[in-house]
Amino acid sequence: MPSNFIFILHFHQPTGQLRYVNERIFENSYKLLLDIFREFSDLKFTVHISGPLLLYLKDNHPDWLEEMFKLGEIGTIEFMAGTISESVLPLVPSDLRVGQIRKYIEVFEKLAGFTPRGFWLPERVWEPWLPEVLAKAGLEYVVIDDATLRKTGWSTEKTKYAWITEESGYITKVLFIDEKLRYILPWSSPDNVINYMASYSGDPDAMLLWGSDAEKFGEWWDREASRAWLREFLGKMRSEKRVVMVHPSEYLREHGVKGYIYLDTGSYDKMLEWSGGFFRNFLVKYAESNNMHKKVLWVKRKIDKARDKLGEIPLDYYMAFCNDAYWHGLFGGVYLAHLRQALYEHMIRAERTAEEAINYYSTNGIGFKRILADFDYDGVEELLLESPSLNLYIDLADGGTLFEFDYKKPGLEHNIQDTMTRYREPYLEGYNVNPDWYRRVSWRIHIWGPETSIHDWMFNTPFRDMSDLALKRYSVAFTEEPRKLYLRTTGGVYYHGSKASNLFVEKELNVDVNGYRVKYTVKNLGGAVLKGKIGIEYHLAWKIDRESNRSPWYTVNGKGYDITYWYTGRANNITLHSGVYPSITLKTNRDVETWIARLVSYARTEKGLMEMPQGLAVMFVEYVELDKNGTFELEVEHRIEG
């Protein structure tokens, strides 16, 4: 008896993908695969098109979708459902998980005219409560990796059959991707692949399932080489007697399930390696991932209050969960700024929609809110300042820094503080890369040694910062004027490990419609004379041109510079330009030594180690010699112009 072969191709590009990348992949991979499906329409393929890609193809390549759906109607392709944003479901609030799937099915049904029965689990991240969600969404089966089976302690032989699992009486049928098959198809010869699958012939219920990225054909691997391999492989499958291609629903209908099973949390082998065995660990490793996740949870509080008036969850809110920017492994992931930016755009639009629905700012009559709340669930309160036009989020426990700056005006939604810290990654061992020792945000104060340079700052030369101010906890003092407040702390300067001076620091903040102003004061309370460079740090995220990929630039006192240029000199006006967004300016109340550099990280991708721009880093520096009660002051204004 022949063994059964299920061939699943997962088509996906994330929310916020650059247009030229989408179009290149469409030309190299998706058109190729449509040709292959047509040529071998007598065989049986299974396809999942992710929610973000489905929406993109609907708007940009509807003819391709129509041809794919025709192949579904004649029985060549069985389509699988997913989440509308290709969200990893454990990151989605529990009461919205079913909605993520139902929204996908709603969009798919309108386009295709029929309903999928199975579910492609994003990044195959499995948690034991999923059967209830899938059953409530009306789906029959799900595909996950056999690494999850092994992680639970079961034999790999169970991979070759379908099983039932349940949660709270809700059931779903589980089919497992065969890891060995995933590693040899298409990287080995067609004969080797077929012979491996044929080794299970003789058992009529045996099933070999390959499920992986469609982009392997034509994008990751040369288009013509992909075409040749597929044509040889599928040509041989036509006459192969030991293996037969089937759809998942056909297999379940004819062979059923072996029994019931319970499964541990899991994913595919590499994801388990990258995440330390549990996907949510990415939220601990990367502050930027956690920031996005906690932002969507914060926005949900407002959406929940507006549910009756909104009628349904805004699509923008669902799309903010697209998984790619929340993690990092082989691909750029969280290091890709254009993906993070797209998620913040969706979050900010959804937030504004909810605020307008409930007239959020009318409750106090001033159109401005000051909130102390544990935004990131670390047990410590952050300070959130909100208005109809912008949000400023301040981490009082991390140097009194600005970690999110949302501009909320329609069409201009952008988190200007969405920059990226450089982390220690295992693949960077051997490279001369020092990870950041603090989060790359704004308003952080340093006391640099007199010989410190821009290179020391950007490349993290150890022990150049002589004070403990960078990481100090700040207190907040509110004023009767709601848009004005003070952040204050005390700290020290250390010479050769011994405390030499006591310092008082104050940040006076004034917020307006299009930005804010901070007056910085550093006072030497006593001890040795303070001799060093006071540095005030900012990071700005330019708006990325995802449509035509134009490069940003900046000006210093009106003179323009390429974004890659490192500037040192005296200045009082830095303006960041992107061509697709109003100018973002930093202005000081006097000329001051200024260091400017492009912040870059080095991250592994499918094309090797790459330099990834993360934003513009700006340090305002002034050498001081402060006796007891000597004071340094500087005002910095940060605005969106026009």
Side-chain angles (χ1 to χ4, degrees), residues 444-560:
R444 201 177 299 278
I445 295 179
H446 305 267
I447 309 293
W448 301 117
E451 303 305 318
T452 305
S453 71
I454 185 174
H455 294 272
D456 297 312
W457 169 46
M458 290 309 297
F459 295 136
N460 291 311
T461 300
F463 312 121
R464 287 293 190 183
D465 191 337
M466 304 186 301
S467 78
D468 55 10
L469 294 176
L471 304 179
K472 270 289 186 177
R473 179 187 296 273
Y474 278 67
S475 62
V476 58
F478 297 113
T479 70
E480 292 184 2
E481 167 53 52
R483 294 174 180 265
K484 179 179 180 178
L485 58 86
Y486 294 90
L487 305 175
R488 297 180 178 123
T489 194
T490 57
V493 173
Y494 298 80
Y495 299 145
H496 309 293
S498 299
K499 192 173 185 179
S501 301
N502 295 301
L503 304 177
F504 167 77
V505 176
E506 180 180 84
K507 302 174 185 178
E508 177 190 311
L509 173 65
N510 288 270
V511 185
D512 62 27
V513 174
N514 293 321
Y516 63 86
R517 184 179 73 257
V518 179
K519 179 182 178 181
Y520 298 89
T521 301
V522 178
K523 184 177 183 179
N524 186 358
L525 298 178
V529 174
L530 171 58
K531 295 181 179 181
K533 293 180 176 180
I534 296 179
I536 301 171
E537 185 168 7
Y538 282 78
H539 291 89
L540 315 178
W542 61 78
K543 188 74 166 187
I544 293 172
D545 181 1
R546 298 196 297 268
E547 290 297 311
S548 55
N549 207 31
R550 285 174 288 183
S551 297
W553 73 98
Y554 66 93
T555 58
V556 180
N557 290 356
K559 183 178 179 180

Side-chain angles (χ1 to χ4, degrees), residues 56-329:
Y56 180 84
L57 293 170
K58 173 181 73 70
D59 293 336
N60 295 277
H61 298 287
D63 293 344
W64 184 90
L65 276 180
E66 184 178 350
E67 292 301 309
M68 290 285 286
F69 294 147
K70 286 179 181 177
L71 290 167
E73 291 170 357
I74 66 173
T76 301
I77 295 176
E78 176 172 320
F79 288 92
M80 297 177 68
T83 58
I84 190 61
S85 65
E86 194 64 9
S87 53
V88 168
L89 281 169
L91 299 190
V92 178
S94 58
D95 59 332
L96 299 183
R97 291 166 181 164
V98 174
Q100 274 270 356
I101 301 171
R102 286 178 175 167
K103 184 54 123 177
Y104 180 97
I105 294 173
E106 174 190 325
V107 172
F108 186 91
E109 286 176 337
K110 287 180 180 178
L111 294 171
F114 50 88
T115 304
R117 296 170 58 184
F119 184 70
W120 178 266
L121 186 65
E123 297 305 324
R124 282 102 79 191
V125 175
W126 174 266
E127 293 194 7
W129 44 261
L130 274 161
E132 180 175 358
V133 172
L134 301 179
K136 287 180 176 179
L139 296 170
E140 178 186 4
Y141 68 86
V142 63
V143 171
I144 64 176
D145 282 75
D146 61 4
T148 303
L149 190 75
R150 294 193 300 274
K151 187 171 183 278
T152 309
W154 296 110
S155 164
T156 302
E157 287 303 305
K158 289 183 179 289
T159 301
K160 305 305 181 289
Y161 309 100
W163 300 83
I164 275 182
T165 189
E166 67 84 28
E167 167 67 18
S168 301
Y170 293 93
I171 66 168
T172 192
K173 298 169 185 175
V174 180
L175 296 89
F176 293 101
I177 297 171
D178 185 280
E179 183 178 293
K180 182 175 180 180
L181 183 59
R182 182 164 56 84
Y183 277 119
I184 64 174
L185 191 166
W187 314 121
S188 188
S189 70
D191 285 336
N192 285 345
V193 173
I194 292 171
N195 287 337
Y196 170 69
M197 294 192 294
S199 67
Y200 289 90
S201 61
D203 181 349
D205 293 331
M207 174 269 300
L208 278 296
L209 192 154
W210 183 93
S212 194
D213 303 280
E215 294 80 12
K216 286 182 177 178
F217 299 102
E219 174 63 13
W220 301 4
W221 190 23
D222 175 76
R223 177 173 53 189
E224 294 312 313
S226 298
R227 188 188 303 274
W229 193 95
L230 284 167
R231 294 190 72 199
E232 181 183 353
F233 173 68
L234 295 171
K236 290 182 175 181
M237 285 300 301
R238 273 178 167 157
S239 57
E240 178 58 51
K241 303 299 184 185
R242 299 169 295 169
V243 183
V244 59
M245 291 180 73
V246 297
H247 291 144
S249 59
E250 176 187 2
Y251 173 83
L252 290 169
R253 183 174 64 250
E254 296 183 2
H255 301 276
V257 298
K258 278 289 185 182
Y260 69 91
I261 196 172
Y262 292 94
L263 296 165
D264 194 358
T265 61
S267 182
Y268 52 88
D269 55 334
K270 291 298 184 183
M271 179 62 79
L272 293 175
E273 174 189 334
W274 298 327
S275 66
F278 188 49
F279 184 83
R280 302 190 201 204
N281 285 337
F282 287 118
L283 303 182
V284 179
K285 179 175 182 180
Y286 300 110
E288 293 76 13
S289 297
N290 193 51
N291 203 119
M292 290 185 293
H293 183 247
K294 301 314 181 281
K295 170 71 174 184
V296 290
L297 297 185
W298 182 255
V299 172
K300 185 177 183 294
R301 298 186 187 190
K302 299 178 181 181
I303 288 176
D304 286 344
K305 292 177 181 178
R307 284 278 187 104
D308 291 343
K309 294 185 178 180
L310 292 175
E312 62 179 5
I313 301 298
L315 180 60
D316 275 313
Y317 187 72
Y318 280 139
M319 299 309 293
F321 287 95
C322 184
N323 78 82
D324 302 64
Y326 285 97
W327 63 279
H328 173 64

